[in-house]
Amino acid sequence: MSKEIQVTREGFNKLQKELEELKGPTRLGIADAIREAKAHGDLKENAAYHEAKLNQTRLESRIADLEKALQLAKIVERPEVAGSTAALGSVVKLYDIEFDEEITVTLVGSFEADPAKNLISMSSPLGESILGRAVGDEVSVDTPGGTNRYKILGVN
């Protein structure tokens, strides 16, 4: 049996929306590009055709990944009993001790993680270090660049 994928309600909805977009307009666009490239003749040396087919392969792979993720997804809501303890779905305000700055991250499942948007996976080094911790706790995170230290300022 495959392992379940924990996601927030928002993450689940985002994955569903992406799947609908890929199966609809994106898939139609690639099919049109393939048809147009075929119309140009010889397919052996037709770069547009080969590019369109490669895009189709990537698209179908992403669709399959999303379908499997949604099938295995378990929507986890932030428990009310979590209070000021960091859990899946928590928005955590951190103070970076070394760089003297505050950052805010949201703890999410690994499939919906996007560090550029401060969506941090619970299974990442930072996510693991703050999961289950409370306001006032200090945590250390081992990274390739060394150890970073944070103080938890808030959990919502």
Side-chain angles (χ1 to χ4, degrees), residues 59-95:
L59 172 71
E60 296 305 325
S61 175
R62 180 64 180 161
I63 287 172
D65 288 348
L66 287 171
E67 286 176 335
K68 182 163 182 109
L70 288 168
Q71 182 180 17
L72 297 174
K74 177 183 180 200
I75 298 170
V76 180
E77 302 294 341
R78 186 176 189 287
E80 291 299 322
V81 294
S84 63
T85 303
L88 179 72
S90 294
V91 177
V92 183
K93 188 174 187 179
L94 300 169
Y95 172 70

Side-chain angles (χ1 to χ4, degrees), residues 26-154:
T26 305
R27 191 181 258 168
L28 289 174
I30 289 176
D32 288 343
I34 291 171
R35 268 192 297 282
E36 185 177 320
K38 279 183 175 180
H40 292 257
D42 185 15
L43 298 182
K44 287 183 183 175
E45 295 183 22
N46 187 331
Y49 175 76
H50 292 289
E51 181 68 22
K53 289 299 280 183
L54 183 60
N55 287 339
Q56 182 183 42
T57 301
R58 289 180 185 138
L59 172 71
E60 296 305 325
S61 175
R62 180 64 180 161
I63 287 172
D65 288 348
L66 287 171
E67 286 176 335
K68 182 163 182 109
L70 288 168
Q71 182 180 17
L72 297 174
K74 177 183 180 200
I75 298 170
V76 180
E77 302 294 341
R78 186 176 189 287
E80 291 299 322
V81 294
S84 63
T85 303
L88 179 72
S90 294
V91 177
V92 183
K93 188 174 187 179
L94 300 169
Y95 172 70
D96 186 323
I97 295 169
E98 182 180 352
F99 292 104
D100 188 32
E101 64 183 11
E102 291 182 7
I103 59 171
T104 301
V105 299
T106 303
L107 285 176
V108 297
S110 58
F111 205 84
E112 60 184 307
D114 185 351
K117 295 180 180 174
N118 291 328
L119 299 174
I120 305 300
S121 169
M122 297 183 313
S123 58
S124 71
L126 177 58
E128 285 181 347
S129 71
I130 61 177
L131 194 63
R133 303 302 288 267
V135 174
D137 287 353
E138 284 192 22
V139 296
S140 294
V141 182
D142 292 325
T143 67
T147 301
N148 295 354
R149 291 187 12 214
Y150 300 94
K151 183 172 183 170
I152 299 175
L153 301 178

